Amino acid sequence: MPTFIIEREIAGADRLSANELKEISARSNEVVAGLGVPYKWLTSYVAGDKIYCVHEAESAEIIERHAREGGFPANKVTEIAAFIGPQTAGA
């Protein structure tokens, strides 16, 4: 299944409380459960006025549907072409 990075512009995202982040997470989980299609939220990063999320879905359209139904912005949705990290350099 393709993996996507979603850029969500949310003013003051880095100042959201633990409880607010918990509520956002719960809402996302509810929407995922109700989509009726394969969908997996892998992780998210809160940085400044943005939240960057990594999700697996069959298409960008399904990512956008998740955002609409959850009431979340999805300002930019990009399919991930490859994953790299320190281990990519080899041993």
Side-chain angles (χ1 to χ4, degrees):
M1 192 160 40
T3 304
F4 296 87
I5 189 159
I6 305 121
E7 182 177 302
R8 305 183 193 282
E9 294 180 17
I10 301 172
D14 60 345
R15 294 186 304 276
L16 291 169
S17 70
N19 193 53
E20 288 169 315
L21 293 171
K22 181 179 178 181
E23 289 172 5
I24 291 169
S25 299
R27 179 65 185 141
S28 180
N29 289 338
E30 289 172 11
V31 173
V32 168
L35 287 174
V37 295
Y39 196 105
K40 186 174 183 183
W41 172 22
L42 300 176
T43 194
S44 294
Y45 303 93
V46 180
D49 287 334
K50 296 185 181 180
I51 298 179
Y52 299 92
C53 303
V54 181
H55 292 202
E56 291 179 349
E58 293 174 345
S59 68
E61 290 77 19
I62 295 172
I63 298 286
E64 291 164 355
R65 179 178 159 207
H66 170 266
R68 275 192 314 277
E69 292 184 14
F72 317 120
N75 303 91
K76 188 172 183 182
V77 177
T78 306
E79 187 170 350
I80 295 172
F83 292 93
I84 65 169
Q87 68 284 0
T88 307

PDB file of all heavy atoms in Angstrom, residues 43-60:
ATOM      1  N   THR A  43       2.571   7.522  11.974  1.00  0.00           N
ATOM      2  CA  THR A  43       3.119   8.434  12.983  1.00  0.00           C
ATOM      3  C   THR A  43       2.847   9.871  12.559  1.00  0.00           C
ATOM      4  O   THR A  43       2.466  10.134  11.421  1.00  0.00           O
ATOM      5  CB  THR A  43       4.639   8.206  13.174  1.00  0.00           C
ATOM      6  OG1 THR A  43       5.069   8.861  14.362  1.00  0.00           O
ATOM      7  CG2 THR A  43       5.448   8.698  11.986  1.00  0.00           C
ATOM      8  N   SER A  44       3.049  10.789  13.483  1.00  0.00           N
ATOM      9  CA  SER A  44       2.938  12.220  13.181  1.00  0.00           C
ATOM     10  C   SER A  44       3.989  12.975  13.966  1.00  0.00           C
ATOM     11  O   SER A  44       4.415  12.536  15.042  1.00  0.00           O
ATOM     12  CB  SER A  44       1.554  12.755  13.546  1.00  0.00           C
ATOM     13  OG  SER A  44       0.563  12.176  12.731  1.00  0.00           O
ATOM     14  N   TYR A  45       4.390  14.119  13.409  1.00  0.00           N
ATOM     15  CA  TYR A  45       5.385  14.990  14.035  1.00  0.00           C
ATOM     16  C   TYR A  45       4.805  16.387  14.134  1.00  0.00           C
ATOM     17  O   TYR A  45       4.310  16.922  13.139  1.00  0.00           O
ATOM     18  CB  TYR A  45       6.668  15.042  13.193  1.00  0.00           C
ATOM     19  CG  TYR A  45       7.279  13.678  12.960  1.00  0.00           C
ATOM     20  CD1 TYR A  45       6.963  12.941  11.822  1.00  0.00           C
ATOM     21  CD2 TYR A  45       8.147  13.121  13.886  1.00  0.00           C
ATOM     22  CE1 TYR A  45       7.508  11.687  11.615  1.00  0.00           C
ATOM     23  CE2 TYR A  45       8.698  11.867  13.677  1.00  0.00           C
ATOM     24  CZ  TYR A  45       8.374  11.153  12.541  1.00  0.00           C
ATOM     25  OH  TYR A  45       8.908   9.907  12.329  1.00  0.00           O
ATOM     26  N   VAL A  46       4.854  16.971  15.317  1.00  0.00           N
ATOM     27  CA  VAL A  46       4.376  18.332  15.540  1.00  0.00           C
ATOM     28  C   VAL A  46       5.592  19.248  15.528  1.00  0.00           C
ATOM     29  O   VAL A  46       6.542  19.030  16.287  1.00  0.00           O
ATOM     30  CB  VAL A  46       3.625  18.434  16.886  1.00  0.00           C
ATOM     31  CG1 VAL A  46       3.131  19.854  17.114  1.00  0.00           C
ATOM     32  CG2 VAL A  46       2.475  17.435  16.943  1.00  0.00           C
ATOM     33  N   ALA A  47       5.561  20.250  14.647  1.00  0.00           N
ATOM     34  CA  ALA A  47       6.708  21.154  14.499  1.00  0.00           C
ATOM     35  C   ALA A  47       6.211  22.536  14.099  1.00  0.00           C
ATOM     36  O   ALA A  47       5.657  22.707  13.007  1.00  0.00           O
ATOM     37  CB  ALA A  47       7.680  20.616  13.445  1.00  0.00           C
ATOM     38  N   GLY A  48       6.391  23.499  14.990  1.00  0.00           N
ATOM     39  CA  GLY A  48       5.954  24.860  14.673  1.00  0.00           C
ATOM     40  C   GLY A  48       4.461  24.901  14.421  1.00  0.00           C
ATOM     41  O   GLY A  48       3.664  24.386  15.204  1.00  0.00           O
ATOM     42  N   ASP A  49       4.083  25.499  13.306  1.00  0.00           N
ATOM     43  CA  ASP A  49       2.675  25.631  12.947  1.00  0.00           C
ATOM     44  C   ASP A  49       2.203  24.516  12.026  1.00  0.00           C
ATOM     45  O   ASP A  49       1.256  24.696  11.262  1.00  0.00           O
ATOM     46  CB  ASP A  49       2.439  26.985  12.250  1.00  0.00           C
ATOM     47  CG  ASP A  49       2.513  28.146  13.229  1.00  0.00           C
ATOM     48  OD1 ASP A  49       2.258  27.944  14.425  1.00  0.00           O
ATOM     49  OD2 ASP A  49       2.808  29.271  12.782  1.00  0.00           O
ATOM     50  N   LYS A  50       2.860  23.360  12.103  1.00  0.00           N
ATOM     51  CA  LYS A  50       2.495  22.251  11.223  1.00  0.00           C
ATOM     52  C   LYS A  50       2.516  20.927  11.971  1.00  0.00           C
ATOM     53  O   LYS A  50       3.224  20.763  12.949  1.00  0.00           O
ATOM     54  CB  LYS A  50       3.441  22.181  10.035  1.00  0.00           C
ATOM     55  CG  LYS A  50       3.337  23.419   9.147  1.00  0.00           C
ATOM     56  CD  LYS A  50       4.167  23.306   7.915  1.00  0.00           C
ATOM     57  CE  LYS A  50       4.005  24.589   7.117  1.00  0.00           C
ATOM     58  NZ  LYS A  50       4.768  24.592   5.912  1.00  0.00           N
ATOM     59  N   ILE A  51       1.720  20.016  11.456  1.00  0.00           N
ATOM     60  CA  ILE A  51       1.790  18.619  11.875  1.00  0.00           C
ATOM     61  C   ILE A  51       2.038  17.822  10.600  1.00  0.00           C
ATOM     62  O   ILE A  51       1.330  17.988   9.603  1.00  0.00           O
ATOM     63  CB  ILE A  51       0.504  18.147  12.578  1.00  0.00           C
ATOM     64  CG1 ILE A  51       0.276  18.959  13.863  1.00  0.00           C
ATOM     65  CG2 ILE A  51       0.587  16.657  12.904  1.00  0.00           C
ATOM     66  CD1 ILE A  51      -0.989  18.596  14.638  1.00  0.00           C
ATOM     67  N   TYR A  52       3.092  17.018  10.621  1.00  0.00           N
ATOM     68  CA  TYR A  52       3.442  16.165   9.488  1.00  0.00           C
ATOM     69  C   TYR A  52       3.045  14.739   9.860  1.00  0.00           C
ATOM     70  O   TYR A  52       3.522  14.211  10.856  1.00  0.00           O
ATOM     71  CB  TYR A  52       4.941  16.229   9.209  1.00  0.00           C
ATOM     72  CG  TYR A  52       5.411  17.620   8.845  1.00  0.00           C
ATOM     73  CD1 TYR A  52       5.879  18.498   9.819  1.00  0.00           C
ATOM     74  CD2 TYR A  52       5.377  18.060   7.522  1.00  0.00           C
ATOM     75  CE1 TYR A  52       6.310  19.772   9.488  1.00  0.00           C
ATOM     76  CE2 TYR A  52       5.809  19.327   7.186  1.00  0.00           C
ATOM     77  CZ  TYR A  52       6.272  20.185   8.177  1.00  0.00           C
ATOM     78  OH  TYR A  52       6.700  21.453   7.845  1.00  0.00           O
ATOM     79  N   CYS A  53       2.163  14.149   9.052  1.00  0.00           N
ATOM     80  CA  CYS A  53       1.660  12.821   9.342  1.00  0.00           C
ATOM     81  C   CYS A  53       2.099  11.845   8.260  1.00  0.00           C
ATOM     82  O   CYS A  53       2.162  12.203   7.087  1.00  0.00           O
ATOM     83  CB  CYS A  53       0.132  12.839   9.389  1.00  0.00           C
ATOM     84  SG  CYS A  53      -0.534  14.004  10.604  1.00  0.00           S
ATOM     85  N   VAL A  54       2.365  10.614   8.664  1.00  0.00           N
ATOM     86  CA  VAL A  54       2.717   9.554   7.725  1.00  0.00           C
ATOM     87  C   VAL A  54       1.620   8.497   7.812  1.00  0.00           C
ATOM     88  O   VAL A  54       1.399   7.916   8.871  1.00  0.00           O
ATOM     89  CB  VAL A  54       4.108   8.962   8.048  1.00  0.00           C
ATOM     90  CG1 VAL A  54       4.466   7.884   7.034  1.00  0.00           C
ATOM     91  CG2 VAL A  54       5.175  10.053   8.082  1.00  0.00           C
ATOM     92  N   HIS A  55       0.933   8.310   6.679  1.00  0.00           N
ATOM     93  CA  HIS A  55      -0.186   7.381   6.620  1.00  0.00           C
ATOM     94  C   HIS A  55      -0.019   6.467   5.414  1.00  0.00           C
ATOM     95  O   HIS A  55       0.563   6.873   4.406  1.00  0.00           O
ATOM     96  CB  HIS A  55      -1.512   8.130   6.439  1.00  0.00           C
ATOM     97  CG  HIS A  55      -1.923   8.958   7.609  1.00  0.00           C
ATOM     98  ND1 HIS A  55      -3.234   9.307   7.807  1.00  0.00           N
ATOM     99  CD2 HIS A  55      -1.246   9.524   8.628  1.00  0.00           C
ATOM    100  CE1 HIS A  55      -3.348  10.048   8.906  1.00  0.00           C
ATOM    101  NE2 HIS A  55      -2.142  10.196   9.423  1.00  0.00           N
ATOM    102  N   GLU A  56      -0.581   5.269   5.506  1.00  0.00           N
ATOM    103  CA  GLU A  56      -0.667   4.358   4.374  1.00  0.00           C
ATOM    104  C   GLU A  56      -2.124   4.315   3.916  1.00  0.00           C
ATOM    105  O   GLU A  56      -3.030   4.182   4.742  1.00  0.00           O
ATOM    106  CB  GLU A  56      -0.248   2.939   4.767  1.00  0.00           C
ATOM    107  CG  GLU A  56       1.217   2.795   5.077  1.00  0.00           C
ATOM    108  CD  GLU A  56       1.584   1.372   5.497  1.00  0.00           C
ATOM    109  OE1 GLU A  56       0.681   0.536   5.748  1.00  0.00           O
ATOM    110  OE2 GLU A  56       2.786   1.095   5.583  1.00  0.00           O
ATOM    111  N   ALA A  57      -2.322   4.448   2.621  1.00  0.00           N
ATOM    112  CA  ALA A  57      -3.667   4.377   2.042  1.00  0.00           C
ATOM    113  C   ALA A  57      -3.534   4.019   0.575  1.00  0.00           C
ATOM    114  O   ALA A  57      -2.451   4.115  -0.009  1.00  0.00           O
ATOM    115  CB  ALA A  57      -4.387   5.714   2.198  1.00  0.00           C
ATOM    116  N   GLU A  58      -4.646   3.630  -0.015  1.00  0.00           N
ATOM    117  CA  GLU A  58      -4.623   3.239  -1.419  1.00  0.00           C
ATOM    118  C   GLU A  58      -4.405   4.421  -2.354  1.00  0.00           C
ATOM    119  O   GLU A  58      -3.936   4.247  -3.479  1.00  0.00           O
ATOM    120  CB  GLU A  58      -5.909   2.501  -1.776  1.00  0.00           C
ATOM    121  CG  GLU A  58      -6.018   1.162  -1.061  1.00  0.00           C
ATOM    122  CD  GLU A  58      -7.350   0.467  -1.286  1.00  0.00           C
ATOM    123  OE1 GLU A  58      -8.310   1.101  -1.761  1.00  0.00           O
ATOM    124  OE2 GLU A  58      -7.415  -0.739  -0.984  1.00  0.00           O
ATOM    125  N   SER A  59      -4.763   5.649  -1.908  1.00  0.00           N
ATOM    126  CA  SER A  59      -4.626   6.810  -2.791  1.00  0.00           C
ATOM    127  C   SER A  59      -4.618   8.102  -1.981  1.00  0.00           C
ATOM    128  O   SER A  59      -5.052   8.135  -0.825  1.00  0.00           O
ATOM    129  CB  SER A  59      -5.784   6.858  -3.786  1.00  0.00           C
ATOM    130  OG  SER A  59      -6.997   7.129  -3.107  1.00  0.00           O
ATOM    131  N   ALA A  60      -4.173   9.174  -2.634  1.00  0.00           N
ATOM    132  CA  ALA A  60      -4.211  10.505  -2.020  1.00  0.00           C
ATOM    133  C   ALA A  60      -5.655  10.929  -1.774  1.00  0.00           C
ATOM    134  O   ALA A  60      -5.936  11.643  -0.808  1.00  0.00           O
ATOM    135  CB  ALA A  60      -3.498  11.513  -2.915  1.00  0.00           C
TER     136      ALA A  60
END
